[in-house]
Amino acid sequence: QKGTVGRKEIIELTDGVPKPSYPYTFCTIITANYLPYALNLLSSIRGYDREVHFNIFVSDCSRKEFKEAPPDDATFFHYPEGVTAEGIGASIMHKYRETDRDAYRWSSKPVFINHLIREKGYSKVVYVDCDIFFFDAFQFLFDALDTHRVLLTPHWRTPHPHSDQEEYRLLFNHGLYNAGFIAASDKATEAMDW
């Protein structure tokens, strides 16, 4: 069953989840003052694909407070009342939104990815921080999700304590993986919940 919402075409699945007209998406999480960074990221994406969807979670505004319009028909804004209103997202919002906005954004990444998969019907989601810029084609990322449920980027620090002790210690302070890039297929929702 086909239909349109505004100018955006959707196809209704049998389970009631609207399937987007494009099967995969990029996404990012920002505060409203970082919108120029997100639009710069978007321009780098559009240089290689004019149709891929781009979803932006504006974490510090409600739909009523945020007055910007999406720059094109394949860009969508999301707000706390839709993304972190229930479940683990609500727990994260109540714990961090007013006291530690950075922790709220960081903790919301897997919640937003699952929201896009479960509620919006995307089969592949690539999250990137808004300070990323693509200088080459990125289709290989979505292709890799055909055979992998989750893609992560390691911090490029030494795993050998004797070669550079300070860099080795940073692995334990900053983590093994860089959360500025996370990709997930629709088979990774349990991993994102974890």
Side-chain angles (χ1 to χ4, degrees):
Q1 178 182 24
K2 284 189 163 189
T4 59
V5 176
R7 296 173 295 186
K8 297 165 178 59
E9 181 182 3
I10 60 169
I11 300 170
E12 190 70 26
L13 293 177
T14 56
D15 64 0
V17 175
K19 181 179 179 185
S21 58
Y22 210 75
Y24 50 88
T25 186
F26 280 100
C27 68
T28 196
I29 300 174
I30 62 168
T31 52
N33 62 320
Y34 272 69
L35 181 61
Y37 290 90
L39 296 178
N40 197 41
L41 167 59
L42 174 62
S43 73
S44 75
I45 291 169
R46 292 289 176 255
Y48 299 98
D49 189 331
R50 303 215 48 85
E51 296 179 15
V52 67
H53 287 187
F54 185 56
N55 287 272
I56 303 169
F57 175 23
V58 185
S59 65
D60 63 340
C61 291
S62 69
R63 182 182 309 273
K64 291 178 184 177
E65 296 168 325
F66 193 69
K67 303 299 182 194
E68 298 292 327
D72 60 40
D73 287 348
T75 302
F76 309 89
F77 290 123
H78 302 264
Y79 309 93
E81 62 266 26
V83 176
T84 56
E86 53 190 47
I88 192 168
S91 299
I92 290 168
M93 183 171 65
H94 294 302
K95 183 173 183 176
Y96 295 120
R97 186 166 180 215
E98 298 305 323
T99 59
D100 189 342
R101 291 183 177 215
D102 289 335
Y104 175 55
R105 283 193 321 278
W106 299 331
S107 302
S108 295
K109 291 176 185 183
V111 173
F112 189 36
I113 290 169
N114 269 350
H115 175 76
L116 294 171
I117 292 170
R118 290 178 174 151
E119 304 300 322
K120 302 301 177 185
Y122 291 101
S123 60
K124 300 175 184 179
V125 176
V126 173
Y127 171 89
V128 288
D129 280 347
C130 66
D131 60 355
I132 301 290
F133 192 91
F134 287 94
F135 290 96
D136 207 343
F138 47 71
Q139 183 59 42
F140 72 97
L141 298 170
F142 293 106
D143 293 344
L145 289 170
D146 289 335
T147 55
H148 299 83
R149 293 178 184 194
V150 177
L151 304 177
L152 301 173
T153 302
H155 279 132
W156 295 107
R157 305 196 191 287
T158 182
H160 307 290
H162 300 295
S163 63
D164 187 334
Q165 203 168 47
E166 183 58 29
E167 284 289 307
Y168 179 75
R169 281 190 197 135
L170 287 174
L171 284 175
F172 299 100
N173 292 335
H174 299 154
L176 296 174
Y177 297 98
N178 181 337
F181 169 88
I182 305 168
S185 75
D186 55 4
K187 295 172 183 57
T189 55
E190 288 182 9
M192 294 297 104
D193 284 338
W194 178 77

